[in-house]
Amino acid sequence: MPVDEILYNAAVGLIESRLASSEWATAAALRMDDESIRVGIVLDNINSGAGLCAEVGPITQAYTEGRQVIASICVNRAKDRQHDLVLAPCGLCQERLALWGPEVEVGAADAADPRGWSGRRLKELNPHYWAASFSDDGHWPTTKEHAE
């Protein structure tokens, strides 16, 4: 599975190296088609409108490099909690990841899994993706179609 402990640990490692003393932190790790990993951390700002999701950096890096994103995980850590949370991508990041299609796997909270999270395909999170309405057969737009 593309969403695994290696991807999870990459996000946690970024939290520990960049924001270990913070009250809370969020980091993401994305796996590319060549198995390489890109990481990013939430851009917090006193002006919340200037903040960015943790996935934004690695998503734009992948797009810039012409890489295919196959998996993404977002981890949130707060000092007042016993464990980290894996967060499913917000609606904006689902839209950003949709550039690579419905098969992109993302981490999502899952109480039935001993880790507290599991991998889900974007099409499972968003089975009625709006942009599929514009195709004759209901397919998700390709990366090229998104740019047209």
Side-chain angles (χ1 to χ4, degrees):
M1 295 271 279
V3 174
D4 58 13
E5 279 73 19
I6 294 169
L7 211 55
Y8 174 86
N9 290 335
V12 168
L14 183 57
I15 290 171
E16 291 173 352
S17 69
R18 281 282 282 117
L19 299 172
S21 63
S22 295
E23 291 299 312
W24 73 273
T26 304
L30 280 65
R31 177 169 282 126
M32 305 298 118
D33 53 343
D34 65 353
E35 295 298 317
S36 63
I37 295 173
R38 308 291 184 278
V39 295
I41 203 145
V42 70
L43 176 62
D44 201 9
N45 192 296
I46 195 166
N47 175 352
S48 61
L52 293 172
C53 300
E55 297 97 333
V56 173
I59 286 171
T60 56
Q61 187 177 6
Y63 190 74
T64 299
E65 295 172 2
R67 300 264 30 127
Q68 175 78 22
V69 175
I70 61 169
S72 175
I73 195 167
C74 185
V75 180
N76 177 266
R77 175 174 288 177
K79 286 195 174 201
D80 63 350
R81 275 200 310 265
Q82 296 290 329
H83 57 85
D84 297 333
L85 298 176
V86 170
L87 306 174
C90 71
L92 287 172
C93 285
Q94 285 184 45
E95 188 67 32
R96 292 170 181 133
L97 290 167
L99 282 169
W100 293 284
E103 298 300 320
V104 173
E105 189 172 298
V106 297
D110 184 350
D113 191 288
R115 301 171 300 188
W117 58 271
S118 63
R120 298 274 189 267
R121 306 260 183 242
L122 277 180
K123 66 182 176 185
E124 293 176 75
L125 292 183
N126 194 349
H128 306 286
Y129 181 50
W130 69 272
S133 299
F134 293 97
S135 70
D136 293 334
D137 62 359
H139 75 272
W140 280 45
T142 64
T143 304
K144 183 178 185 240
E145 290 169 329
H146 270 278
E148 293 177 340

